[in-house]
Amino acid sequence: MATRYVGRGIRRVEDRRLVTGNGRYTDDIGAGTGALEVAFVRSPHAHARILDIDVAGALDVDGVVAVYTYEDLEGAAAEPLPILIPHPALHAGRTGYVLANGVVHHAGAAVVMVVAENRYLAEDAAAAIVVDYEVLPAVVGLDAARAATRAVHDDVPDNVAAHLLQQVGDVDAAMRTAPHRLTLDLEISRSCSMPLEGKAVHARWDPDDRSLRVYSATQAATSVRAAIAAKLGLPLPKVEVIAPDVGGGFGVKIVHPWPEEILIPLAAMRLQRPVKWTEDRREHFVSSAHERGQQQHIEVGFDDTGRILALDVQFWHDNGAYTPYGIICPIVTSTQLLGPYKPGAYRVEFRSLYTTTVIVTPYRGAGRPQGVFAMERTMDRIAQTLGLDRTAVRAANFIQPDEFPFDQGLIFQDGRPLIYDSGDYPTQLAMIKDLIGWDDFPARQAAAAAQGRLLGIGIGCYVEGTGPGPYEGAHVQVLTDGSVEVAIGLTSQGQGHQTVFAQIVADELGVPFEEVRVTTGDTRRFGHAVGTFASRAAVMSGSAVALAARAVRAKALRVAADALEASEADLEIVDGVVAVRGNPTASIGLGSVAVLSNPLRYAFDEAAKAATQFARPADPDRPPVAEGEAPGLESRDYYSPPRCTFASGMHAAIVEIDPDTSEIRIEKYCVIHDCGTLINPMIVRGQVHGGVAQGIGGALYETLDYDEHGQLRNASFMDFLMPYVTELPDTIELDHQETPSPLNPLGIKGAGEAGVIPVSAVLAAAVENATGLRITRMPLSPSELFHLRREGDTA
C-alpha cells in the first residue's frame, strides 16, 4: 500500500541545515571574493528640503570607489518608485525615489550612497558627507494628519491619500429602528515586524553577456526581477534574482523594489564589480516599513439578543510618507472586520493619510488585527450593555454552516467578491469554550478575587482571507535515478516549503518523500510567480504543485503502459515503481520511465541506452515523441483561483494582573483553527504558535514611539521591547477544525498569519474582564495599565 504523507507531522527537512549554522543568507553570498560594500547617508529629519550635498570629504577616504546622489541617476532609475497595487480609491498616491530628490519625507530616507572596498570604509566616508537641509514642519500621527494644518506633500493639502466607502443594506434606516445603539472609539498604535535578517542585496554584472544576477532577501523574487529590469532598462531574460535562505519576512520583504534593490545592481553595472549591502538594525527601524496604526469610530445598532442590525464604521489609517503598496492594509481591515458574523446592514468608510514617518506596508496579519479589534471590542460592549454572556452575543451573529458559500456583499483586497467558501463557526465556539474552560471560569475568578488576585478571560473570533491570486505555478520533473525535482516561484522565509510541497508531490506521484527535492525563489528555475504573502503559499503553490504532479503521473502511466504492454487503467505507482495491479513482477521504476520518456540518439550512460533508437522495436508509423507531448517526464502547471479561500479561528486567554505593578501574565492561551486540509499538522502548529507569540508582542510590548519632530525614539532593541519566552505562556493549547475549501484541488486554506490576528482583541477583553476598565487602545503595556487603573481608582 502506498504511504500517505499529506496530513502527517513530518519533520522539516530544512531545519538541520539551518539550526546547525549551515544556512546560506544573502550576506553570505560571495564572502571573501572582494565584493564592494555600501553605506548610506540617511536623513536625520522627518521633513526637510535638501539645499546642498558636499561629498568632498568622502572622496578623500582611501578605499572609496564611488559616491552617488540623485543627480547621478538617469532614465527610469531617476523616476519615482512604482505604486505596486493601484486602486481607484487611491486618488493621491505618492512614492519616493531610490535616493532623495530635493525633499525628504521621513527620517531615515536615503540621500547618498557610498560604495567602498568594505563596509567600514563606506561608513567612514558617509560620515564625512555634509548635507545642508532646510527643516520643514513634521506631520506625526493621525491627529496631526487629520488636522491638516501642515501637509506632508505640497500637492496633497488634506494629507488624504485614499478614501473608500463600501456599504451593504440601508445602514441609516436600520440604525434608526434598532432597539439599542452604542458607539466606540478605538485605537491601535504603530508597530513593525522584526525579522532576524533585515533587507540585503548582492549584485553581480556580467559585462560580456550583459546579464545581471541579484541575490535579495525578498518575499517576491520574480517581482524584484521585473522591477530591476524595468528600472535599469534591461531585458527581463537578462536578469536573474535568487532569494537564498531568508531570515524571516513577515511582510516587510514583500515590498519591491526597495531602493537598495535598484541601487546595488546599478552600482554593480557601473563599476563592473560585485556589490553588496546588508541592512543594520537601526536602518531597519527607520527605513524599511511599519504597520498597524489606526483610529476607529464605530456605531452599532442591535436587538435584545445582541444580534447586530446595523454597523457603521469609520477609521483613519496612517500610511506613512508614501503608498508604494497601495491601500491593501485598510481594505483588508474594512472587509475582514466582519469576521464570522452577518450584520443586518454594514457601512465602512476609511481614509488613508500621509504622515512624515516610515512607510506602512503589510505586516503579518496585514490590517486584520485592527479589524478584529474593532469587531470583537464591539461584541464585548454589546454583551456588557445587555448583561449577556459574551459568547452568546457572538453565537447570535454567526453565519451558519448551511449558509456557505456566504457572500458578504463587499469587494475584497484581490478585487473580487468577499464570498466565504466554507466554515463551521458554532462548532468552533463550542470547541474553544471547552478548551479554555469558559463556563467554569466565573467560579475560578471569584475564588481568585477572594484571595486578592485579578483574573480575567477574553475571547476573539476571526475570518482570514487567504490564498489571493492571480496565480502560482510549479515545475515537477522525475529524473532518471527516480528522484523528483520540484521548482516553485515562491520564496521561503521559514514556512517549511521544502517539506510540505514534497509531501504533496510524494502523494500525488506515489514516490518516497525522501526522493523529492524542492527549490524556491530562484528565477533561473521558475520565472513566473507572484510572491509569498497573505497566507497563500500552500493554497496557491500547493495547488500548482499538485496539478503539475498529476500531469507527470498521467504521462508516467502512458509511457509505462507502452513499456509493459498493459492498460493504463491497470497500473499503479507505489514507492516510485509503476506496476500492474496484482502482478508486481510486471513493473518498471519511475527512473526508467523517465529514461523512456526522452527518446535519444546518443547513449551517454548505461541508463540512456534504453531510450536509444535501436534499443527496442518501434512503430514506424508513430513519431518518437507523440503529438502534444514533450520529451522528459516533467510538467509545468499553474493554479489560478476564482477568489480567496477563507480560514477562520477563535482564540481565548486567561490573564492575571499583578495588583501592584499591573504586569499582565498570560496564564492560559487556547486556539481553535480551521485552515481546511492539513498538509503537515506539526508545521501548522508551529506557524500558529509563532503567530501567537508575535501577537502577544504586538498587544503588550511592541510599539513605535515618535516624538513631535518625527524622530523615532526607540529605534533599537534597547528600547523596542520584543517578548522573550519568559513573557509567553508556558503552553499554547491548540486544536484543529477541518472544513476543506471547494475552490482548490487539495481543499487547503492558508495558515501563516492566523496566530497573530485576534491576539490584541483577546488580551484587551481579558484585561478588561479582570480590571473592569474599558480597554480601547493597544498595545497595552504594564505602565499604561497602571495609569489606567490609578485613573479609574481616582474616578
Side-chain angles (χ1 to χ4, degrees):
M1 179 178 292
T3 301
R4 293 293 299 176
Y5 294 101
V6 169
R8 292 173 54 193
I10 294 174
R11 289 191 175 186
R12 295 168 22 136
V13 298
E14 50 268 80
D15 282 356
R16 178 179 295 275
R17 179 174 55 80
L18 295 173
V19 301
T20 56
N22 290 302
R24 186 169 182 256
Y25 299 87
T26 303
D27 193 53
D28 298 321
I29 305 299
T33 61
L36 300 173
E37 297 194 59
V38 164
F40 288 95
V41 176
R42 298 187 180 275
S43 170
H45 306 292
H47 198 193
R49 184 170 289 108
I50 299 170
L51 302 178
D52 184 62
I53 302 174
D54 184 355
V55 303
L59 299 177
D60 291 335
V61 176
D62 288 340
V64 169
V65 177
V67 177
Y68 298 99
T69 69
Y70 176 79
E71 300 301 324
D72 298 302
L73 305 177
E74 57 188 20
E79 297 171 357
L81 292 165
I83 294 177
L84 294 171
I85 307 177
H87 191 282
L90 182 58
H91 62 270
R94 300 291 181 271
T95 59
Y97 296 82
V98 294
L99 289 171
N101 177 17
V103 178
V104 292
H105 292 99
H106 69 89
V111 179
V112 186
M113 178 173 73
V114 179
V115 187
E117 294 293 341
N118 59 53
R119 179 68 174 260
Y120 303 99
L121 295 173
E123 295 282 2
D124 288 345
I129 293 173
V130 178
V131 183
D132 187 16
Y133 297 95
E134 175 191 351
V135 178
L136 303 172
V139 180
V140 182
L142 283 166
D143 287 337
R146 291 171 63 183
T149 56
R150 301 183 297 272
V152 176
H153 300 282
D154 290 341
D155 56 347
V156 189
D158 61 357
N159 292 318
V160 177
H163 174 220
L164 181 62
L165 184 148
Q166 292 198 68
Q167 180 167 327
V168 180
D170 190 336
V171 175
D172 294 328
M175 194 74 73
R176 282 195 304 270
T177 58
H180 308 280
R181 293 189 296 274
L182 60 83
T183 60
L184 300 84
D185 287 291
L186 306 172
E187 184 174 357
I188 288 188
S189 297
R190 269 190 178 223
S191 189
C192 61
S193 60
M194 275 294 143
L196 182 67
E197 173 196 35
K199 296 177 291 179
V201 187
H202 180 287
R204 186 170 73 233
W205 171 248
D206 184 335
D208 296 325
D209 188 48
R210 296 196 61 77
S211 63
L212 181 69
R213 178 177 294 178
V214 178
Y215 295 87
S216 179
T218 180
Q219 293 174 233
T222 56
S223 299
V224 171
R225 178 195 188 201
I228 291 172
K231 282 292 185 183
L232 299 184
L234 296 171
L236 188 64
K238 290 295 186 179
V239 180
E240 301 170 347
V241 172
I242 300 116
D245 291 325
V246 175
F250 310 116
V252 69
K253 295 177 184 176
I254 191 60
V255 180
H256 56 273
W258 283 107
E260 300 87 1
E261 288 171 324
I262 302 301
L263 290 167
I264 305 307
L266 173 66
M269 292 171 64
R270 290 192 181 182
L271 301 173
Q272 298 195 14
R273 287 182 61 181
V275 181
K276 65 181 291 188
W277 167 80
T278 301
E279 183 178 63
D280 66 33
R281 188 56 58 181
R282 179 169 176 80
E283 282 183 301
H284 188 79
F285 271 105
V286 302
S287 68
S288 56
H290 302 162
E291 217 247 276
R292 302 290 195 248
Q294 285 185 7
Q295 293 177 349
Q296 304 167 337
H297 177 76
I298 302 160
E299 184 175 3
V300 61
F302 50 97
D303 66 15
D304 293 339
T305 68
R307 187 167 60 92
I308 294 177
L309 305 176
L311 181 64
D312 194 0
V313 178
Q314 292 184 68
F315 68 91
W316 296 264
H317 178 79
D318 180 350
N319 58 229
Y322 305 112
T323 54
Y325 209 77
I327 52 173
I328 291 299
C329 287
I331 289 175
V332 170
T333 297
S334 66
T335 51
Q336 299 277 257
L337 184 149
L338 293 174
Y341 311 117
K342 48 177 181 180
Y346 176 53
R347 178 169 58 215
V348 61
E349 181 179 19
F350 71 76
R351 288 173 174 81
S352 194
L353 294 104
Y354 288 114
T355 57
T356 52
T357 55
V358 173
I359 63 171
V360 166
T361 66
Y363 160 38
R364 196 176 193 176
R368 296 175 186 89
Q370 301 96 308
V372 172
F373 187 68
M375 193 75 221
E376 296 302 296
R377 293 279 66 208
T378 299
M379 287 291 179
D380 288 341
R381 284 288 305 280
I382 291 171
Q384 182 186 51
T385 300
L386 296 174
L388 296 175
D389 185 281
R390 287 171 282 169
T391 61
V393 170
R394 287 167 170 81
N397 289 280
F398 280 155
I399 299 162
Q400 297 302 305
D402 62 358
E403 295 182 281
F404 291 96
F406 188 87
D407 189 347
Q408 290 281 21
L410 303 171
I411 299 300
F412 192 41
Q413 62 139 318
D414 57 352
R416 292 175 175 265
L418 186 74
I419 301 175
Y420 294 178
D421 52 340
S422 64
D424 184 352
Y425 309 136
T427 299
Q428 275 189 27
L429 183 62
M431 293 170 71
I432 194 69
K433 288 178 66 176
D434 180 64
L435 200 59
I436 196 68
W438 183 272
D439 293 336
D440 299 331
F441 182 75
R444 283 193 59 199
Q445 189 178 41
Q451 300 170 354
R453 296 168 54 217
L454 296 173
L455 286 186
I457 192 169
I459 190 169
C461 311
Y462 70 93
V463 171
E464 178 197 1
T466 65
Y471 71 89
E472 286 299 338
H475 179 254
V476 176
Q477 180 179 22
V478 179
L479 304 184
T480 56
D481 64 357
S483 65
V484 183
E485 290 284 342
V486 180
I488 60 172
L490 290 187
T491 62
S492 184
Q493 303 90 46
Q495 298 93 334
H497 291 166
Q498 283 82 3
T499 303
V500 296
F501 296 135
Q503 289 178 257
I504 294 170
V505 170
D507 276 0
E508 295 290 346
L509 277 183
V511 299
F513 167 81
E514 295 77 15
E515 293 297 313
V516 184
R517 295 179 294 272
V518 179
T519 298
T520 67
D522 186 337
T523 63
R524 298 170 300 179
R525 295 288 305 276
F526 206 92
H528 294 284
V530 180
T532 305
F533 59 93
S535 303
R536 69 191 300 273
V539 177
M540 300 298 300
S541 284
S543 297
V545 163
L547 294 173
R550 290 175 187 180
V552 171
R553 183 180 187 278
K555 183 172 184 179
L557 293 178
R558 290 196 299 273
V559 175
D562 183 56
L564 297 172
E565 299 181 344
S567 168
E568 292 179 37
D570 294 333
L571 300 180
E572 62 180 354
I573 308 177
V574 179
D575 292 333
V577 176
V578 188
V580 177
R581 287 187 180 89
N583 184 13
T585 59
S587 63
I588 183 172
L590 267 182
S592 297
V593 176
V595 171
L596 297 177
S597 71
N598 182 24
L600 296 172
R601 183 173 179 83
Y602 306 110
F604 45 81
D605 61 15
E606 285 300 314
K609 288 181 181 180
T612 55
Q613 54 206 3
F614 298 112
R616 59 194 180 108
D619 184 343
D621 295 322
R622 291 172 54 192
V625 178
E627 185 177 352
E629 294 277 14
L633 190 52
E634 60 186 294
S635 176
R636 183 183 302 266
D637 211 332
Y638 294 86
Y639 170 69
S640 182
R643 56 185 181 275
C644 286
T645 56
F646 286 87
S648 61
M650 299 182 189
H651 292 201
I654 296 172
V655 303
E656 181 169 359
I657 312 297
D658 187 292
D660 298 319
T661 66
S662 294
E663 182 182 358
I664 302 165
R665 186 178 70 86
I666 302 171
E667 181 185 285
K668 187 176 184 179
Y669 201 100
C670 298
V671 177
I672 302 295
H673 180 239
D674 176 13
C675 61
T677 302
L678 289 166
I679 302 174
N680 187 315
M682 183 168 63
I683 288 180
V684 172
R685 180 178 294 271
Q687 288 277 18
V688 173
H689 284 188
V692 170
Q694 209 157 10
I696 290 170
L700 301 180
Y701 303 102
E702 299 168 359
T703 188
L704 295 169
D705 182 19
Y706 277 100
D707 68 15
E708 68 274 18
H709 304 295
Q711 297 297 322
L712 186 56
R713 291 186 285 202
N714 61 332
S716 77
F717 285 157
M718 292 291 290
D719 302 298
F720 181 82
L721 302 178
M722 290 194 298
Y724 298 163
V725 293
T726 50
E727 281 73 56
L728 302 177
D730 292 337
T731 59
I732 298 171
E733 299 184 36
L734 172 64
D735 200 358
H736 293 292
Q737 180 189 60
E738 290 188 63
T739 63
S741 173
L743 300 180
N744 61 70
L746 298 175
I748 307 169
K749 297 186 278 192
E753 299 176 88
V756 77
I757 291 170
V759 180
S760 285
V762 170
L763 295 182
V767 170
E768 186 170 285
N769 181 248
T771 63
L773 299 169
R774 285 188 177 172
I775 305 301
T776 61
R777 185 178 185 275
M778 297 297 277
L780 182 64
S781 66
S783 59
E784 187 166 352
L785 180 58
F786 179 87
H787 290 299
L788 283 173
R789 291 177 63 205
R790 186 167 65 178
E791 291 168 6
D793 291 342
T794 301

